[in-house]
Amino acid sequence: MRKIQKGDRVILLSGDDRGKEGVVLKVNPSSGKAIIEGINFVKRHHKPTKKSPQGGIVEKEAPVHFSKLLVICSKCNEAVKTKTIILADGYKTRACKKCGEMITNVAK
Ligand SMILES: [Zn+2]
């Protein structure tokens, strides 16, 4: 089970935005990367188009590798490691390694 999922509250562990929190907007399992709202902006230069005749610089969130992210446990209220647990009905979910709280997803 992927440790980072859409809707998770995560914290960035490295880079210029180290320590910043955000919500995962999108995950790309094949590249192992996620886009997090408000984190890891990169400037992209755009050529002039009909829509924006001046072109210019657009800031956009760049994908971050899962290894640079930790999920925030709502109970501990800090970045934690997660483990996979299997519920009684066989459904797999993630739980905080520290307190055992299930990591629930805000974007369901
Ligand atoms: Zn916890």
Side-chain angles (χ1 to χ4, degrees):
M1 144 163 269
R2 272 183 282 129
K3 64 172 188 167
I4 303 293
Q5 292 182 19
K6 189 180 169 186
D8 282 348
R9 256 178 87 211
V10 293
I11 200 158
L12 189 68
L13 300 175
S14 63
D16 292 342
D17 283 344
R18 183 173 48 228
K20 275 196 190 170
E21 271 181 46
V23 173
V24 176
L25 297 176
K26 215 173 173 183
V27 286
N28 187 339
S30 55
S31 66
K33 288 180 176 176
I35 300 222
I36 304 112
E37 190 174 30
I39 282 186
N40 201 33
F41 276 104
V42 286
K43 288 192 173 82
R44 292 213 170 136
H45 296 264
H46 281 264
K47 284 181 185 162
T49 58
K50 270 184 191 160
K51 242 179 167 181
S52 55
Q54 269 133 30
I57 298 164
V58 175
E59 292 202 36
K60 206 171 184 287
E61 289 104 333
V64 180
H65 197 264
F66 291 170
S67 64
K68 291 181 181 168
L69 300 168
L70 272 182
V71 173
I72 296 167
C73 170
S74 57
K75 204 169 169 190
C76 302
N77 206 28
E78 60 179 325
V80 293
K81 295 220 161 121
T82 58
K83 59 183 177 183
T84 301
I85 54 168
I86 300 165
L87 303 177
D89 58 4
Y91 180 75
K92 278 185 191 166
T93 190
R94 294 163 303 160
C96 169
K97 259 189 182 168
K98 210 168 160 186
C99 71
E101 180 82 355
M102 269 193 264
I103 306 293
T104 45
N105 210 300
V106 291
K108 263 178 188 165

